[in-house]
Amino acid sequence: MSDHPSDPTNSTTPGDGNPTPEKTGRPDGATPSTTGASAPTTSAGASPSPTSAAAGGGTGRRSFDHWFGEKDRNGFIHRSWMRAQGFSDEVFDGRPVIGICNTWSELTPCNAHLRRLAESVKRGVWQAGGFPLEFPVMSLGETMLRPTAMLFRNLLSMDVEESLRGNPIDGAVLLTGCDKTTPGSIMGAASVDLPTLVVTGGPMLNGKFRGCDIGSGTAVWRFTQDVNAGRMTQEDYAAAESGMSRSNGHCMTMGTASTMACMAEALGLQLTGSAAIPAVDSRRYAIAQQAGQRIVQMVEEDLKPSDILTRDAFANAVRANAAIGGSTNAVIHLLAIAGRVGVDLTLDDMDEWARGVPWLVDLQPSGKYLMEDFYYAGGLPAVMREILPLLKADAITVTGKSIGDNVANTERTVDTEVIRAVGNPLGSGAGTAVLKGNLAPDGAVIKQSAASERLLQHRGKALVFSSIEEYDLAVDDPDLDVDADTVLVLQNSGPRGYPGMPEVGNMTIPRKLAEQGVEDMVRISDARMSGTAYGTVVLHVAPEAAVGGPLALVQTGDWIELDVPARTLHLDVPDEELAKRRAAWQSAPPPTQPADRGWARLYVNHVTQANQGCDLDFLIGRTGSAVARQSH
């Protein structure tokens, strides 16, 4: 039987080498509900089954009961216009319709290959007896989109949510890659709660420069500082630029894109072992085909995000993030995803779960290696197998099996230092730490593995900048009043203040200090930083300056105390003085991005703070997949 993706009659099961997950994927072992019941099929060339919701005998398949199985005028419309694409009768027989939600765009270089990946998913859907339909949603290119892709993450989630709910779709495959496309797509799908499986695009091949591996993003920050310090020529800088991005795929460091791919797998939303496969590796396309097969089974089992995204799943993701040295951005995205499925998740939970987790993965920006090496060493399953005693091993996943079952037979490659044994970690408790104090009453975060140990406990005088533009104008000033002990403070770069919370928190070391050999300083802001960045950088200060948080009251010359082991961030200014400053404080309009119309206005009026995930307040929770009223 043919397995060509355009062959709707092919309903073969996965062949040799393609795992066939258990048929019941419900965490309670219950029989799937009628929503996932198998629908009647017809022979080739036959008319669609007369069974329909309108006739009083619904199949429970929303695509059939409310679109393709109807025998009235609306059914005529739904089927006839789909036939314009060359689909034959079989696709309307009640088989699961799988929406392939694609964040492909040439303006998102990390996702530029996802159309080809979609073809592999389609092939798997056809093989399993489903009907795949690909559709585009907003794509967020971290390297191109201004003022920041984070401003539009929630807009993408709305695009995904409404597209899934409003169309004849029974299950979804989310094609993602670049930083915000993964959490944004998951948030939208979680709000609809149809069976959903994530397929990420995979990392680029290792970058190369002068015979050495260089990592995307991380090399940019390092080489820029080298140029500023006179250690690197502009010619070498240009040569490194041409060698850093050598293939399709997202950043090959453990930046936010790689982190969120790992988080999707750790949460149980992605097939085991798929997060780290390089984008151009044939195994990336093979596992995408398996994902297409599996999503059809998930529809039959009625295995939904709400079954998978439990509190235990989030605990597993947080601990996995600590073990891999993942991005601080995962904190905001996990909080937002949890909010969509109604899981009570706080910064305090995340700090508690990450404490004591061994740091096992030696990847840039915190370490030495890159994602290609990580995959060859065993990838995320090898890491989760090492820390399995710390995980909620019974948490169910898209495979229909538990996370413990998925990784039970995984082994790390022992002749490499990429993934350490749990008894020989790079460090312990090196994950994202949550700081609180009078400067961050609702919390702030710091990536311990990327920070300088000598600065984890530090007291210094603040040098305050009200915007990143103000800092950029001052950073090269040879007369800037700054030394290595100064604490650089950036205000008005949070969710509302920028707006969108850009990745500017890892402020460049002032040129005069870079020339003296200073490579790290304490930096504090309400902004984010790229997951590819490094340094002793305190981020996500909440409440942000733009809404009157204490960060807005800091003045140059104030003493600030950072104590990461004690989880404190303290502004050493008397309460009486802070009260006076608060009385005199006035909010300032964002300097570069008008927020008086369109999406920016909606965002600023409704975005929550970083400690709540920066979702829009009216999007928290889920609405479900109820079918709306007829359009004709």
Side-chain angles (χ1 to χ4, degrees):
M1 185 175 289
S2 169
D3 66 353
H4 192 276
S6 63
D7 181 4
T9 65
N10 187 343
S11 58
T12 59
T13 55
D16 293 342
N18 292 335
T20 304
E22 296 174 0
K23 277 292 181 182
T24 176
R26 300 299 299 272
D28 57 2
T31 301
S33 70
T34 56
T35 303
S38 297
T41 59
T42 62
S43 60
S47 299
S49 167
T51 302
S52 71
T59 66
R61 191 90 73 216
R62 68 195 299 272
S63 65
F64 186 79
D65 291 347
H66 300 282
W67 276 275
F68 299 139
E70 292 184 319
K71 304 300 292 181
D72 58 7
R73 178 190 63 187
N74 286 309
F76 181 104
I77 292 171
H78 299 320
R79 291 186 299 272
S80 179
W81 264 262
M82 290 298 290
R83 291 179 191 274
Q85 300 178 71
F87 295 120
S88 56
D89 291 339
E90 297 83 22
V91 300
F92 307 123
D93 63 8
R95 66 184 64 200
V97 176
I98 305 301
I100 302 175
C101 178
N102 200 340
T103 57
W104 168 87
S105 171
E106 289 181 341
L107 287 169
T108 306
C110 302
N111 296 19
H113 61 301
L114 294 189
R115 292 179 76 183
R116 180 185 171 195
L117 201 66
E119 293 304 315
S120 295
V121 176
K122 289 178 186 178
R123 184 162 56 241
V125 173
W126 286 124
Q127 287 177 318
F131 178 21
L133 291 172
E134 180 186 356
F135 62 95
V137 290
M138 186 178 191
S139 190
L140 309 178
E142 195 68 39
T143 58
M144 302 292 173
L145 191 58
R146 295 188 179 189
T148 169
M150 185 63 180
L151 176 63
F152 304 103
R153 183 201 64 180
N154 301 334
L155 183 57
L156 166 61
S157 79
M158 293 173 71
D159 192 352
V160 172
E161 177 178 351
E162 303 303 338
S163 294
L164 291 178
R165 185 182 294 114
N167 282 294
I169 293 172
D170 303 305
V173 174
L174 309 178
L175 296 187
T176 72
C178 196
D179 296 16
K180 308 305 174 293
T181 60
T182 299
S185 297
I186 292 172
M187 289 161 64
S191 294
V192 182
D193 205 30
L194 289 170
T196 299
L197 196 154
V198 177
V199 175
T200 52
M204 292 184 283
L205 298 177
N206 291 358
K208 299 289 183 179
F209 173 65
R210 299 286 192 263
C212 298
D213 286 346
I214 59 172
S216 50
T218 303
V220 175
W221 317 128
R222 177 161 56 89
F223 291 159
T224 300
Q225 289 192 184
D226 287 345
V227 169
N228 289 342
R231 296 187 295 265
M232 187 177 198
T233 66
Q234 284 291 341
E235 291 74 19
D236 282 348
Y237 197 52
E241 174 188 324
S242 65
M244 188 180 74
S245 303
R246 298 174 48 238
S247 74
N248 285 332
H250 58 66
C251 290
M252 83 298 279
T253 51
M254 188 55 77
T256 304
S258 295
T259 297
M260 291 313 299
C262 289
M263 292 300 93
E265 185 173 328
L267 285 168
L269 293 175
Q270 186 165 202
L271 292 183
T272 307
S274 59
I277 304 174
V280 295
D281 193 309
S282 62
R283 289 166 287 191
R284 168 64 55 189
Y285 295 94
I287 206 162
Q289 181 174 334
Q290 293 175 33
Q293 296 166 345
R294 177 59 191 150
I295 188 60
V296 175
Q297 296 172 339
M298 288 176 63
V299 172
E300 293 169 350
E301 297 163 8
D302 194 27
L303 181 58
K304 304 184 297 296
S306 58
D307 300 317
I308 296 168
L309 294 174
T310 63
R311 186 171 168 84
D312 284 352
F314 286 98
N316 289 342
V318 170
R319 288 174 174 137
N321 192 49
I324 64 176
S327 169
T328 52
N329 287 303
V331 173
I332 287 178
H333 299 320
L334 290 174
L335 288 167
I337 294 168
R340 294 298 183 98
V341 292
V343 170
D344 183 17
L345 180 64
T346 67
L347 284 177
D348 290 338
D349 292 329
M350 302 177 88
D351 186 68
E352 177 185 350
W353 290 337
R355 285 179 185 258
V357 175
W359 172 28
L360 302 181
V361 178
D362 191 6
L363 255 64
Q364 296 180 32
S366 300
K368 177 181 179 181
Y369 299 98
L370 296 166
M371 286 295 289
E372 190 179 347
D373 310 303
F374 180 51
Y375 176 61
Y376 302 147
L380 188 67
V383 176
M384 298 191 78
R385 178 67 180 84
E386 286 291 318
I387 63 169
L388 194 56
L390 301 177
L391 301 179
K392 305 294 185 179
D394 293 335
I396 201 70
T397 74
V398 291
T399 67
K401 301 177 182 179
S402 71
I403 199 78
D405 289 337
N406 287 344
V407 305
N409 298 319
T410 302
E411 294 184 0
R412 66 185 182 88
T413 302
V414 297
D415 60 350
T416 176
E417 289 290 300
V418 179
I419 301 175
R420 299 286 189 93
V422 72
N424 180 36
L426 290 153
S428 181
T432 299
V434 176
L435 311 173
K436 290 191 175 180
N438 71 339
L439 188 50
D442 293 335
V445 302
I446 185 171
K447 183 175 179 178
Q448 298 178 86
S449 63
S452 299
E453 186 174 357
R454 64 181 177 81
L455 294 174
L456 294 178
Q457 291 177 300
H458 182 77
R459 176 179 167 84
K461 284 187 176 183
L463 179 58
V464 180
F465 298 88
S466 63
S467 71
I468 189 60
E469 290 81 12
E470 182 183 351
Y471 182 76
D472 289 342
L473 288 173
V475 69
D476 292 335
D477 185 353
D479 297 322
L480 187 65
D481 187 12
V482 63
D483 60 35
D485 292 328
T486 299
V487 176
L488 301 178
V489 176
L490 176 63
Q491 302 167 328
N492 300 311
S493 295
R496 295 189 186 183
Y498 200 74
M501 204 178 182
E503 295 183 340
V504 297
N506 57 315
M507 294 171 277
T508 306
I509 301 298
R511 183 181 293 270
K512 63 181 288 185
L513 297 182
E515 291 172 347
Q516 297 169 17
V518 176
E519 296 184 348
D520 195 11
M521 302 173 66
V522 174
R523 288 154 277 181
I524 300 173
S525 75
D526 45 14
R528 299 177 301 111
M529 78 173 180
S530 169
T532 67
Y534 53 89
T536 310
V537 185
V538 177
L539 304 154
H540 311 180
V541 172
E544 64 175 303
V547 299
L551 187 68
L553 309 180
V554 183
Q555 296 180 1
T556 294
D558 290 344
W559 287 94
I560 294 177
E561 297 175 1
L562 169 66
D563 191 336
V564 176
R567 299 297 197 267
T568 59
L569 183 64
H570 181 71
L571 177 62
D572 194 5
V573 174
D575 291 342
E576 296 80 5
E577 173 61 22
L578 290 178
K580 291 179 182 178
R581 295 181 188 180
R582 181 170 298 283
W585 175 81
Q586 292 182 336
S587 62
T592 60
Q593 174 71 17
D596 59 351
R597 61 172 285 121
W599 172 251
R601 178 173 178 174
L602 185 66
Y603 178 92
V604 167
N605 289 342
H606 292 280
V607 70
T608 63
Q609 290 294 291
N611 62 302
Q612 299 172 307
C614 298
D615 204 354
L616 301 192
D617 52 21
F618 60 81
L619 292 177
I620 296 172
R622 64 179 184 269
T623 305
S625 59
V627 177
R629 299 163 72 180
Q630 288 284 6
S631 58
H632 295 88

